[in-house]
């Protein structure tokens, strides 16, 4: 194997506390039954990238039930795509073939460093709604070409496994799934979509950047576009927390930062409801918020204030960082988070709870960003399990610079070239929670803005719609939307109905079914000043 470095739709919401109504059940399409594909083997030439072929290892009838759809039956196929390198793991996959097929399919993305088969039997990650399978879509996903391990990213020591994770598993799984769909139904899907969040969102953009003819549309939520920048941001944050004496924010101070920002910024959208929507106005208050948080004299004086070292850590999170032009496609760093606009870094994906780094760093002790950044440096970059990312010199990366540059093009989806996908009629629905503590929404905003700057607003509007969700974190938050992004995409592709303002029902704890309009960027939902704050029509989308 070559060396790596050589190469207008509103959801049908009936009212507070009710879920959007499902669409009509798909018409039945006759298939050949599970027995038709049991034990089927595919030759290497059936797959567009180099493999040793694939096999279905299990084909079994299955059934499930969802509200509004009742019981539905499908054939669940599991199998493996065989690697070229005998030391590389296979790509494990699952394909689901519904008895009542609507003639369309959804490739569903993964999360984190992957390693677990995406079964495709549930809802789209971070875009909660009725599962595509219940609605008649054939669905499929994979483990991206490696099993999960305690080390998380150690698969990247193998070139083929790394390339599979980066992008090749997408094409390989796509080609195998389409072969199985054709053989089961005697016809290919008339529409194929990709849907995913976080890593799955990165995969969605990777799919249309590298294989623009393979998909008709994507739903991408919180996409980890600048993957190298994100992981290096985690390393930089770890250094601010653990190399600078007193730089770590203990949990009580993580909560202090969140609550201070909420008190200042929550009312800026016209309603005090625990959700910060007016992010731009709030970010303008950052200097005053930092001054209010600072301990007198800058020395740590307890849980009610931040030392100068802790202020520096918060400022890094807020501002992001730049470390020089050695990432692909002109990226020079990573955009900051909305930590001074109410984003909560005290949860399970936040900054951790330990003032000392574990060896190796763990998510619970040292935070998601640092733990995953350290794993990236160990296994993707240095390829040395003993490497300590706290010692990485951003100013003088030495021989690691070339590796970082090469991998930033291989693993990541920051390529701005989307014109081939748009030219053939492809559509994108892009969404990001403004309170995301894992993938910065400002990085996604920057990518979207670059599209507009390069192509013009009208050209971007013709194929991409971007929504920001106040209060939505990396799956949790004070506002968790229940909304039909796949339905909006499908109507756009099939009927030409470009989505405008969407409506979502909040399913976070204690929300009691409140609804909000989810506005197209750069607009936000502002309370009109009267009307039931539980109802979406009590808000306007405006600057």
């Amino acid at each position: 194997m070559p060396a790596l470095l050589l190469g207008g739709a509103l959801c049908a919401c009936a009212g507070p506390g009710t879920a959007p109504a499902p669409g009509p059940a798909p018409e039945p399409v006759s298939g050949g039954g599970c027995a038709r594909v049991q034990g089927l083997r595919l030759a290497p030439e059936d797959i567009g990238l180099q493999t040793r072929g694939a096999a279905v290892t299990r084909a079994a009838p299955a059934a499930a039930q969802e509200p509004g759809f009742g019981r539905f039956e499908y054939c669940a196929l599991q199998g493996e795509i065989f690697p070229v390198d005998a030391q590389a793991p296979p790509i494990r996959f699952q394909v689901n073939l519904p008895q009542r097929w609507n003639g369309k399919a959804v490739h569903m993305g993964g999360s984190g460093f992957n390693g677990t088969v995406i079964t495709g039997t549930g809802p789209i990650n971070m875009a909660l709604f009725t599962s595509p399978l219940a609605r008649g879509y054939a669905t499929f996903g994979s483990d991206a070409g490696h099993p999960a391990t305690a080390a998380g990213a150690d698969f990247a020591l193998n070139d083929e496994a790394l390339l599979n994770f980066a992008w090749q598993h997408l094409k390989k799984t796509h080609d195998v799934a389409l072969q199985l769909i054709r053989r089961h139904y005697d016809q290919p899907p008339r529409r194929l979509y990709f849907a995913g969040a976080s890593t799955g969102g990165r995969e969605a953009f990777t799919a249309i950047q590298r294989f623009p003819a393979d998909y008709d549309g994507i739903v991408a939520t919180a996409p980890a576009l600048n993957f190298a920048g994100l992981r290096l941001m985690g390393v930089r944050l770890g250094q601010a927390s653990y190399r600078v004496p007193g730089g770590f924010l203990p949990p009580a101070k993580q909560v202090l930062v969140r609550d201070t920002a909420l008190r200042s910024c929550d009312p800026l959208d016209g309603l005090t409801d625990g959700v910060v929507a007016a992010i731009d106005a709030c970010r303008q208050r950052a200097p005053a918020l930092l001054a209010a948080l600072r301990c007198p004299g800058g020395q740590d004086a307890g849980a009610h204030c931040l030392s100068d070292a802790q202020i520096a850590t918060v400022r890094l999170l807020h501002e992001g960082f730049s470390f020089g032009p050695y990432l692909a496609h002109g990226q020079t760093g990573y955009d900051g988070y909305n930590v001074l606009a109410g984003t909560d870094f005290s949860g399970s994906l936040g900054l951790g709870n330990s003032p000392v780094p574990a060896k190796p760093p763990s998510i619970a002790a040292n935070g998601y960003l640092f733990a995953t950044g350290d794993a990236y440096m160990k296994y993707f970059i240095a390829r040395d399990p003993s490497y300590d990312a706290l010692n990485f010199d951003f100013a003088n990366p030495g021989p690691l610079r070339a590796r970082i540059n090469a991998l930033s093009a291989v693993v990541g989806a920051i390529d701005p070239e989307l014109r081939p996908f748009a030219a053939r009629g492809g559509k994108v629905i892009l969404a990001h929670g403004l309170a995301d503590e894992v993938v910065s929404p400002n990085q996604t905003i920057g990518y979207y803005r670059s599209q507009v700057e390069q192509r013009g607003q009208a050209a971007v509007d013709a194929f991409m719609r971007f929504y920001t969700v106040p209060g939505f974190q990396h799956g949790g938050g004070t506002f968790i939307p229940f909304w039909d992004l796949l339905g909006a995409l499908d109507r756009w592709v099939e009927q030409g109905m470009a989505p405008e303002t969407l409506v979502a029902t909040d399913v976070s704890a204690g929300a009691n079914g409140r609804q909000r309009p989810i506005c197209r960027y750069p607009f936000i939902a502002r309370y009109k000043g009267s009307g039931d704050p539980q109802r979406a029509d009590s808000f306007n989308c405006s600057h």
Side-chain angles (χ1 to χ4, degrees):
M1 183 172 187
L4 179 65
L5 293 182
L6 296 180
L10 297 178
C11 75
C13 297
T18 62
E27 291 299 318
V29 174
S30 176
C34 283
R36 190 171 183 180
V37 288
Q38 174 69 56
L40 182 69
R41 296 187 68 90
L42 299 177
E45 54 266 28
D46 291 326
I47 303 168
L49 295 175
Q50 192 176 16
T51 71
R52 290 187 292 111
V56 174
T57 57
R58 184 175 185 272
Q65 189 162 328
E66 289 194 27
F69 286 87
R71 177 184 169 88
F72 57 95
E73 298 178 351
Y74 60 98
C75 179
L77 310 180
Q78 296 170 356
E80 295 184 347
I81 304 171
F82 306 120
V84 176
D85 179 1
Q87 301 303 312
I91 299 170
R92 296 177 298 150
F93 65 84
Q94 180 160 331
V95 180
N96 306 297
L97 305 168
Q99 187 179 70
R100 298 177 64 86
W101 186 42
N102 65 10
K104 293 172 276 193
V106 181
H107 188 169
M108 299 180 74
S111 62
F113 285 121
N114 285 326
T116 301
V117 175
I118 303 304
T119 66
T121 58
I124 297 167
N125 188 23
M126 293 174 61
L128 298 177
F129 198 71
T130 307
S131 71
L133 182 58
R135 298 159 73 179
Y137 293 87
T139 62
F140 57 94
S142 79
D143 66 354
H146 62 272
T149 65
D154 57 349
F155 67 88
L157 296 173
N158 178 277
D159 274 356
E160 187 169 355
L162 191 158
L163 288 172
N164 277 335
F165 168 78
W167 61 275
Q168 291 191 2
H169 82 279
L170 300 171
K171 179 64 173 173
K172 295 171 183 177
T173 304
H174 165 279
D175 288 1
V176 168
L178 260 63
Q179 288 279 354
L180 298 176
I181 291 170
R182 286 191 187 100
R183 297 187 189 208
H184 184 75
Y185 296 113
D186 291 320
Q187 63 188 68
R190 73 173 188 273
R191 299 292 184 193
L192 177 58
Y193 303 124
F194 196 107
S198 192
T199 284
R202 172 185 66 82
E203 291 170 341
F205 273 94
T206 298
I208 63 173
Q209 289 165 8
R210 291 183 179 271
F211 309 109
D214 281 1
Y215 299 88
D216 297 293
I218 69 170
V219 170
T221 307
L225 297 173
N226 182 4
F227 189 82
L230 171 62
R231 297 307 174 213
L232 291 171
M233 176 67 179
V235 173
R236 184 68 188 87
L237 178 63
Q239 292 179 350
S241 298
Y242 297 113
R243 285 190 63 180
V244 177
F248 175 73
L249 268 72
K253 296 197 179 191
Q254 297 166 21
V255 173
L256 172 67
V257 174
R258 178 200 67 194
D259 290 350
T260 301
L262 280 174
R263 283 194 299 270
S264 176
C265 298
D266 188 355
L268 294 178
D269 56 10
L271 184 68
T272 301
D273 59 354
V275 175
V276 178
I279 295 292
D280 289 344
C282 185
R283 287 181 69 89
Q284 293 176 11
R285 298 186 175 192
L289 287 172
L290 287 173
L293 286 164
R294 184 174 183 263
C295 296
Q299 299 300 311
D300 197 338
H304 65 284
C305 62
L306 304 185
S307 69
D308 282 348
Q310 292 165 340
I311 289 284
T313 300
V314 173
R315 190 186 298 277
L316 170 66
L317 270 174
H318 169 70
E319 296 176 351
F321 80 113
S322 178
F323 52 83
Y326 57 92
L327 296 182
H329 303 294
Q331 296 296 302
T332 60
Y334 198 73
D335 291 322
Y337 296 77
N338 295 325
V339 61
L340 292 172
T343 295
D344 186 3
F345 279 87
S346 69
S348 61
L349 297 177
L351 297 179
N353 56 32
S354 174
V356 295
K359 293 188 179 297
S362 74
I363 293 173
N366 309 120
Y368 180 87
L369 290 174
F370 177 44
T372 54
D374 180 80
Y376 177 76
M377 291 300 297
K378 278 180 167 66
Y379 298 108
F380 282 76
I381 303 302
R383 291 186 136 176
D384 176 2
S386 67
Y387 185 84
D388 186 352
L390 290 178
N391 295 323
F392 176 66
D393 187 345
F394 279 92
N396 298 289
L400 296 183
R401 174 174 179 151
R403 177 78 179 175
I404 291 171
N405 177 267
L407 277 185
S408 69
V410 172
V411 189
I414 204 66
D415 187 343
E417 184 55 87
L418 301 178
R419 285 176 298 181
F421 176 73
R424 61 176 295 274
K427 308 299 183 189
V428 175
I429 292 184
L430 172 62
H432 209 134
L434 289 172
D436 197 323
E437 75 276 38
V438 170
V439 178
S440 172
N442 299 308
Q443 183 73 40
T444 303
I445 288 170
Y447 183 83
Y448 175 80
R449 284 177 171 172
S450 73
Q451 289 289 313
V452 174
E453 289 168 1
Q454 293 171 31
R455 306 191 59 198
Q457 190 68 59
V460 173
D461 286 349
F463 83 101
M464 182 185 295
R465 297 297 163 98
F466 177 31
Y467 299 88
T468 54
V469 187
F472 190 29
Q473 294 178 223
H474 205 70
T478 56
F479 189 96
I480 302 174
F482 186 90
W483 54 339
D484 187 11
L485 295 187
L486 179 60
L489 177 70
D490 197 26
R491 289 187 290 271
W492 194 6
V493 170
E494 292 254 280
Q495 304 171 32
M497 296 173 58
E500 294 295 338
T501 301
L502 301 176
V503 171
T505 299
D506 181 10
V507 295
S508 65
N512 297 316
R514 66 177 172 178
Q515 295 177 348
R516 291 286 188 276
I518 308 298
C519 309
R520 288 179 57 194
Y521 179 84
F523 299 108
I524 65 169
R526 294 186 182 275
Y527 183 55
K528 294 178 180 178
S530 62
D532 184 353
Q534 295 287 96
R535 293 178 56 88
D537 57 13
S538 298
F539 296 79
N540 284 324
C541 287
S542 65
H543 283 289

